[in-house]
Amino acid sequence: MELHIVIEGSRDLSGQVYRQLREAIVSGRLAPGEQVPPSRLLATQLGLSRKTVSEAYARLTLEQLLVGRAGSGTFVHQPQHPRAPSRVLEADDLAAAATIARWHAQSFPAVMSQSSPAVRCQYEFQGGMPTRRQFPDDAWRQCVLYGLRQSSNSRGFYAETEGLPILREAIARHVAFSRGVRASAAEVLVTNGAQQALDLMARVLIEPGCIVAMEDPGYPPARMLFASQGAQVVGIAVDQEGILVEQIPAGTRLIYVTPAHQFPLGMVMSVARRVALLERARLLGAIIIEDDYDSEFRYQGRPADSLQSMDQVGLVAFLGTFSKVIQPELRVGYVIAPPAIRRALTLAKKLSDRHTPTMTQWALARFIDDGHLQKHIRRCYGIYAARREKLLAGLNGPLAPWLRAVPTTAGFHLTALLHRQLDLSLLIKLARRADVALYTLDDFYYQVPPQTGLLFGFGAIESLDIEEALSRVAAILQELDPQALSMTG
């Protein structure tokens, strides 16, 4: 690798080499201990005489910026008088200071943030984390090798922005089978996770000041993303049937909902509420984003029709992801958009990142078509169902004096509301000392007064650990509020 030195003209050649090397050392671009090229090699690379380069090296050695080691070469020495670091621009110095300050004020809920292994508890109830141990690594490895072969056979051009036809066809079949969604392969747009699908929708539909309505509590990254595009985000309360449609204000342009498994509370939107929501959107001329993030895992009751399958006039954009059924690192999602915005979304995707990596698309298409995805979902279903039963048994048993589980029929998290006065932050702190990670619902609320409760993710905790974890939580609750037991007893 050549050392970056630029020679201009034919004067003071040794001085040019000296000054550029000195600046590189003092600024830290050449780190202490790094070897510089031999003078003969550097001279050849620069088209100079060896004597010219040797003179520059000698000056730097005299200043103790370079040091020669017999038999090894010449290396950068720690400078005695390093240059004071220059002042780095801070947010307040920039024209966009106010915008950056708003971003600094935003934060992901702890339950959705990836914690480092150093601070992770033994018993983790983090949400959104699927089980990892049961993933068919050997099958996926074969699919990745297939993807590599297909990619190596390509002609080196960019791929289709919408996604590889084979993957779009596989997704269309998958959502028709598992969600009842009506879509052809031509209607599928492959994205880098559902988060990119949300970003594309925001770019296409949102203008500064326009109204976006979303469930409250709801999905904070969606709210943050809509607000970043200048939207006026309005939180709409939910009840046991879903979003309160009559509260969606006039002038709303975009409505974001999670009808199959309300995030984070978990209820299913009733059919009557779905019909009302579609009618409200039609009257407003608004687009509905239906985020169906984890309803592949359903434990009881008959699945309700998706909003997209009930839509007769082209109002609903259906979002899905493989992060919850495979792994978050995969970063493949999709959107099935209504005709009115499909072309605009494709153009926005093309301008954003051209297309999703093709090797991953080939591998995922093979994984679906060979039946591995459905086998994995069935395997995980049994695991999650057992964990869910263990969690419900604890919430309805030892923890019942303090917590009430919110009815839910899908996914791999559930919530529990506190029905006694209690210092929840203290509970979470004491639970962490007992190596149990608990997460509050507060961060999911926006404008609606929050209900005090906890979110229990059971994707990343083993079945055998749930009983022990809940036993520790129950012991803490008994210490904090011993009167609850006497009142229930």
Side-chain angles (χ1 to χ4, degrees):
M1 183 173 66
E2 292 188 6
L3 182 60
H4 182 72
I5 294 178
V6 178
I7 301 297
E8 296 181 349
S10 57
R11 295 185 177 182
D12 191 21
L13 300 178
S14 179
Q16 291 188 53
V17 175
Y18 161 76
R19 285 188 292 274
Q20 292 183 59
L21 276 173
R22 189 180 193 285
E23 194 281 329
I25 293 170
V26 173
S27 67
R29 286 194 293 114
L30 287 178
E34 187 168 352
Q35 186 174 13
V36 296
S39 58
R40 186 187 302 277
L41 175 60
L42 184 58
T44 301
Q45 293 173 348
L46 298 177
L48 303 175
S49 70
R50 183 183 181 187
K51 180 176 180 294
T52 298
V53 174
S54 296
E55 289 177 354
Y57 277 17
R59 291 179 65 182
L60 293 167
T61 302
L62 186 63
E63 295 181 17
Q64 298 186 357
L65 294 177
L66 289 181
V67 59
R69 299 175 186 169
S72 299
T74 303
F75 297 83
V76 176
H77 188 266
Q78 181 70 44
Q80 290 183 336
H81 305 289
R83 188 177 65 182
S86 59
R87 180 178 179 273
V88 177
L89 281 177
E90 298 182 359
D92 290 343
D93 300 319
L94 303 176
T99 302
I100 295 170
R102 287 197 298 271
W103 276 101
H104 284 178
Q106 302 280 355
S107 62
F108 271 47
V111 69
M112 301 179 65
S113 300
Q114 184 64 42
S115 56
S116 67
V119 300
R120 201 171 295 156
C121 291
Q122 179 180 355
Y123 305 106
E124 276 282 348
F125 285 108
Q126 190 170 24
M129 303 294 292
T131 183
R132 181 65 184 85
R133 293 177 59 184
Q134 285 73 25
F135 185 71
D137 288 309
D138 290 340
W140 177 248
R141 189 177 300 109
Q142 293 303 313
C143 293
V144 170
L145 291 174
Y146 168 78
L148 285 171
R149 290 194 298 271
Q150 295 301 315
S151 295
S152 65
N153 292 333
S154 70
R155 295 179 293 170
F157 299 132
Y158 289 110
E160 301 93 326
T161 298
E162 298 87 343
L164 296 180
I166 187 173
L167 178 57
R168 297 165 73 194
E169 291 171 2
I171 290 173
R173 290 195 302 273
H174 172 68
V175 295
F177 176 82
S178 64
R179 320 286 183 86
V181 171
R182 296 182 288 106
S184 65
E187 297 172 89
V188 176
L189 174 64
V190 179
T191 60
N192 290 317
Q195 195 66 24
Q196 188 191 38
L198 283 172
D199 180 66
L200 298 176
M201 297 284 291
R203 292 172 187 240
V204 167
L205 294 171
I206 292 177
E207 296 174 350
C210 75
I211 299 174
V212 174
M214 62 180 294
E215 300 162 325
D216 194 356
Y219 184 52
R223 182 178 69 241
M224 294 165 62
L225 190 134
F226 299 147
S228 74
Q229 296 292 330
Q232 177 188 344
V233 181
V234 179
I236 309 297
V238 298
D239 63 12
Q240 67 274 13
E241 293 188 57
I243 190 169
L244 299 177
V245 173
E246 66 277 6
Q247 293 185 9
I248 298 174
T252 295
R253 177 173 295 186
L254 187 62
I255 304 169
Y256 174 85
V257 290
T258 51
H261 185 213
Q262 200 281 330
F263 187 85
L265 296 180
M267 73 281 291
V268 178
M269 188 182 295
S270 69
V271 174
R273 195 65 57 85
R274 292 172 191 242
V275 171
L277 177 59
L278 289 168
E279 178 60 17
R280 181 62 175 159
R282 186 189 67 80
L283 292 174
L284 294 171
I287 291 291
I288 299 172
I289 296 180
E290 178 181 12
D291 190 348
D292 194 347
Y293 59 97
D294 68 355
S295 72
E296 283 96 345
F297 306 107
R298 179 166 296 279
Y299 309 105
Q300 61 189 56
R302 299 176 60 182
D305 289 334
S306 64
L307 279 172
Q308 191 269 355
S309 67
M310 299 170 64
D311 178 20
Q312 300 298 317
V313 295
L315 298 169
V316 178
F318 183 92
L319 268 62
T321 179
F322 293 97
S323 296
K324 300 297 185 289
V325 295
I326 299 181
Q327 286 299 316
E329 301 97 318
L330 184 64
R331 306 310 305 141
V332 177
Y334 53 91
V335 56
I336 299 167
I341 63 171
R342 195 174 299 145
R343 186 174 181 277
L345 285 177
T346 302
L347 178 58
K349 164 79 174 173
K350 192 168 189 176
L351 292 172
S352 174
D353 65 353
R354 199 64 182 249
H355 61 75
T356 299
T358 54
M359 189 278 289
T360 304
Q361 291 190 61
W362 283 112
L364 181 56
R366 172 59 68 92
F367 192 75
I368 297 172
D369 287 343
D370 285 0
H372 298 303
L373 179 63
Q374 283 303 323
K375 290 178 183 177
H376 181 56
I377 290 173
R378 288 195 295 269
R379 187 183 305 115
C380 290
Y381 170 84
I383 293 167
Y384 292 150
R387 293 179 185 176
R388 176 176 176 271
E389 289 303 314
K390 280 268 184 108
L391 188 53
L392 286 173
L395 290 171
N396 295 329
L399 297 179
W402 301 275
L403 293 166
R404 175 180 59 83
V406 177
T408 184
T409 62
F412 45 92
H413 80 264
L414 56 83
T415 58
L417 302 179
L418 198 68
H419 55 73
R420 288 183 60 82
Q421 288 286 87
L422 199 69
D423 187 342
L424 197 60
S425 61
L426 179 58
L427 169 63
I428 292 172
K429 182 179 180 179
L430 294 175
R432 185 163 285 277
R433 289 182 184 174
D435 225 2
V436 181
L438 299 177
Y439 300 93
T440 178
L441 290 175
D442 287 4
D443 293 334
F444 298 105
Y445 284 87
Y446 176 47
Q447 294 170 335
V448 173
Q451 299 184 80
T452 306
L454 298 169
L455 185 144
F456 290 91
F458 50 89
I461 185 169
E462 297 294 328
S463 297
L464 294 177
D465 290 337
I466 291 176
E467 188 173 353
E468 173 61 25
L470 295 184
S471 175
R472 297 186 183 192
V473 174
I476 296 170
L477 286 168
Q478 290 174 23
E479 292 182 9
L480 291 176
D481 184 24
Q483 292 183 347
L485 289 176
S486 60
M487 293 180 66
T488 57

